[in-house]
Amino acid sequence: MTMQPIDEYVTVGQRRDLAAALEVDVERAEVVTWDRLAGRIETEPDPTLASTGEAIRDGLEEELDGALVADVLANLEDAIDRLPTVRDGGVPKGPEGPYTAVAKPGWRLYEHLLEVGLFERLDETLPRFESDTIEGMTRALVGTEELSDVLADVGFDETERTALLAAVATNNNRLARWVPANQIPDGVEFDTSIVPPLYQRTMGGALLWIRGLDRHLWQYEPLVTEPILDDAVWYVKALLGSIYAAATAVADLATSRSFADETVTGAFMGTAAIQIICQEDLMRDVFYITDEMRAPSELR
């Protein structure tokens, strides 16, 4: 598989912005990574994140199907493993193809979380994406070995994990536009009663964009370039990886209870933030094919 370097998705500037967001001083020549940051930030338990995580846990163990979530995790891992083959296949051959297939385990998790009311609980419990909460969430992510290890276990190298962390920590304004359904202000031009919970929108939106890639790339094949295909696979990997990490937190709620309460909060907020940024970037870099991006006319 020929793909552009992952550094295309996390520049030196973004790495330094990440360090600055976490108030970590770095040397000029130092490469900023998740693992290096983890040993250099204060990771004292955040009582607000902890109490929020405790509230999320309350009574959910009996509602969640641990066996179903375990099966979803195995199938998501397999889907992520298949992405190099998806990339090697180039443009899909029809409107339902490899991207629809790799999204299926995520839809199974989505339907289960919808059934048990977890999305509503997260909307009612978790704070909005604001500067202070984003910083606290990022610190919780960096200081949690379990979440970094989870991503490493499904094939995310250190640079890829850092790219996801940078997406969370350095996009305050974009994240702030995503508001829980119960906090949408009065006077907007649409019926707020039909707006799904924020965490349902993030995961469901991510899966819809992935599923839509087959039809989009197939229909616009004459315009599609190798870099566009590279972008498609990277954002799908990022989205599936975030859903996998969220599913790991769900599995902890259902069975082991080994995560600290603040880790549960950081996991759900952090994975939703990744889904927000990456689905927006997928839309920009893959679905909106501009004149500058498209294949030259002689190749069409």
Side-chain angles (χ1 to χ4, degrees), residues 8 21 46 51-52 58 73 93 98 104-105 112 121 139 159 180 207 220 227 275:
E8 292 289 326
D46 184 320
S51 62
T52 302
D58 187 31
L73 282 167
K93 303 301 187 290
K104 283 182 179 178
H112 183 51
R121 179 171 297 199
R139 287 179 177 275
T159 302
L207 292 167
Y220 290 93
Q275 289 156 26

Side-chain angles (χ1 to χ4, degrees), residues 38-76:
R40 294 165 62 178
I41 65 168
E42 296 181 11
T43 56
E44 294 180 4
D46 184 320
T48 302
L49 293 179
S51 62
T52 302
E54 185 179 5
I56 293 170
R57 284 189 186 279
D58 187 31
L60 265 181
E61 186 173 354
E62 297 178 0
E63 299 290 332
L64 291 165
D65 186 335
L68 182 151
V69 178
D71 193 46
V72 164
L73 282 167
N75 289 326
L76 279 171

Side-chain angles (χ1 to χ4, degrees), residues 137-189:
M137 168 189 68
T138 308
R139 287 179 177 275
L141 288 175
V142 173
T144 305
E145 241 179 71
E146 294 98 329
L147 294 177
S148 180
D149 290 347
V150 159
L151 291 170
D153 289 344
V154 289
F156 285 77
D157 64 28
E158 193 170 18
T159 302
E160 291 173 322
R161 297 198 304 276
T162 304
L164 298 185
L165 193 62
V168 170
T170 62
N171 282 289
N172 290 11
N173 291 337
R174 291 170 66 185
L175 292 173
R177 291 197 293 264
W178 288 65
V179 179
N182 58 7
Q183 296 184 39
I184 297 174
D186 295 332
V188 296
E189 65 274 17

Side-chain angles (χ1 to χ4, degrees), residues 27-278:
E27 299 295 333
R28 185 174 184 83
E30 183 177 354
V31 177
V32 177
T33 68
W34 183 323
D35 291 344
R36 288 182 179 178
L37 290 171
R40 294 165 62 178
I41 65 168
E42 296 181 11
T43 56
E44 294 180 4
D46 184 320
T48 302
L49 293 179
S51 62
T52 302
E54 185 179 5
I56 293 170
R57 284 189 186 279
D58 187 31
L60 265 181
E61 186 173 354
E62 297 178 0
E63 299 290 332
L64 291 165
D65 186 335
L68 182 151
V69 178
D71 193 46
V72 164
L73 282 167
N75 289 326
L76 279 171
E77 184 173 1
D78 178 66
I80 294 169
D81 284 344
R82 295 204 312 271
L83 289 177
T85 302
V86 173
R87 175 62 185 88
D88 285 342
V91 175
K93 303 301 187 290
E96 291 189 11
Y99 292 100
T100 302
V102 297
K104 283 182 179 178
W107 282 116
R108 192 175 176 208
L109 176 69
Y110 172 90
E111 295 294 342
H112 183 51
L113 301 188
L114 192 62
E115 180 183 8
V116 303
L118 181 58
F119 294 127
E120 288 86 351
R121 179 171 297 199
L122 295 177
D123 245 31
E124 293 165 358
T125 308
L126 294 174
R128 286 181 61 168
F129 287 117
E130 297 176 314
S131 295
D132 289 346
T133 55
I134 292 169
E135 180 181 345
M137 168 189 68
T138 308
R139 287 179 177 275
L141 288 175
V142 173
T144 305
E145 241 179 71
E146 294 98 329
L147 294 177
S148 180
D149 290 347
V150 159
L151 291 170
D153 289 344
V154 289
F156 285 77
D157 64 28
E158 193 170 18
T159 302
E160 291 173 322
R161 297 198 304 276
T162 304
L164 298 185
L165 193 62
V168 170
T170 62
N171 282 289
N172 290 11
N173 291 337
R174 291 170 66 185
L175 292 173
R177 291 197 293 264
W178 288 65
V179 179
N182 58 7
Q183 296 184 39
I184 297 174
D186 295 332
V188 296
E189 65 274 17
F190 52 85
D191 181 1
T192 59
S193 67
I194 62 172
V195 178
L198 171 64
Y199 289 82
Q200 182 180 345
R201 279 179 273 144
T202 57
M203 186 180 292
L207 292 167
L208 284 170
W209 283 112
I210 296 172
R211 191 171 69 186
L213 277 167
D214 287 314
R215 179 177 296 277
H216 172 72
L217 294 172
W218 171 62
Q219 286 183 325
Y220 290 93
E221 181 174 11
L223 306 182
V224 173
T225 62
E226 295 298 309
I228 289 174
L229 293 173
D230 290 339
D231 284 339
V233 171
W234 161 243
Y235 292 126
V236 170
K237 182 175 182 178
L239 291 168
L240 291 180
S242 71
I243 293 171
Y244 183 90
T248 303
V250 174
D252 187 80
L253 296 179
T255 55
S256 65
R257 300 180 66 89
S258 63
F259 282 8
D261 288 333
E262 59 265 27
T263 299
V264 171
T265 302
F268 284 122
M269 291 190 70
T271 55
I274 291 169
Q275 289 156 26
I276 288 169
I277 298 303
C278 288

